[in-house]
Amino acid sequence: MKDKLVVEISVAVVDDDASLRNALVSLLQAFDYHAKGFDNAESFLESAESETTDCLITDIQMSGMNGIELNRVLRQRRGPFPVIIMTALQGKLALDSARESHPVCVLSKPFESHQLLGCLDRVFSKF
C-alpha cells in the first residue's frame, strides 16, 4: 500500500484580541491546519511565517499596522496571497476598504466557525 501524501497547510491568525486569536488557532488545529497566532501585524511580518504561511486571517482594526495595510505589504512581498479579513466594523467605508484589498473573504464579527472554514475551503480547494 502506498503512503498517503500529507500536505501541511499553514495558516497565520493576526488579531490583537487574545481570546479570539487563541480560539481561532485552536479551531484551525482541530481541523488539521498548522496554525499560529500573532498579536499584531508587525510581529507577524518579522516572523519566518510571513514568508511561509499559506493563508493569513487578520483583523482590520489593530494597534499599529491594520489588517488592510498588512495585506498590502504581503502582496508587495509575495504577490497574490490568500487573505481572510475579519472586522467588527460595520460601516460601508470599512467594508468597502476591506473588499478593495482583494481578500478571499470578509467576515463580520461575530461569525460562526463554519463561515471561516468555508472561506478556507475556497482557499485550499486545490490541495
Side-chain angles (χ1 to χ4, degrees):
M1 183 159 101
K2 289 186 176 183
D3 289 334
K4 227 175 134 176
L5 177 63
V6 176
V7 177
E8 185 172 89
I9 298 173
S10 175
V11 179
V13 178
V14 181
D15 194 327
D16 56 1
D17 178 340
S19 61
L20 178 60
R21 181 179 65 248
N22 294 335
L24 292 177
V25 167
S26 293
L27 172 70
L28 295 170
Q29 290 172 344
F31 281 86
D32 295 326
Y33 291 101
H34 174 77
K36 185 165 181 181
F38 297 87
D39 61 358
N40 60 56
E42 293 83 0
S43 65
F44 172 69
L45 289 172
E46 292 169 3
S47 74
E49 282 82 0
S50 70
E51 299 299 325
T52 61
T53 194
D54 298 307
C55 181
L56 171 68
I57 301 170
T58 185
D59 191 14
I60 288 180
Q61 193 171 15
M62 299 180 285
S63 58
M65 181 184 294
N66 69 41
I68 294 170
E69 293 167 338
L70 174 57
N71 187 3
R72 182 182 47 76
V73 169
L74 278 176
R75 286 183 181 280
Q76 289 172 345
R77 283 187 181 182
R78 296 183 59 177
F81 184 78
V83 174
I84 297 168
I85 292 181
M86 307 175 290
T87 184
L89 303 173
Q90 299 302 315
K92 181 174 174 11
L93 183 62
L95 294 174
D96 286 348
S97 293
R99 288 184 185 99
E100 287 171 6
S101 69
H102 306 291
V104 173
C105 293
V106 177
L107 295 172
S108 294
K109 294 179 182 180
F111 54 86
E112 299 291 325
S113 59
H114 69 86
Q115 292 172 291
L116 174 61
L117 295 170
C119 291
L120 289 168
D121 284 346
R122 287 176 49 197
V123 171
F124 298 117
S125 62
K126 64 184 182 275
F127 281 84

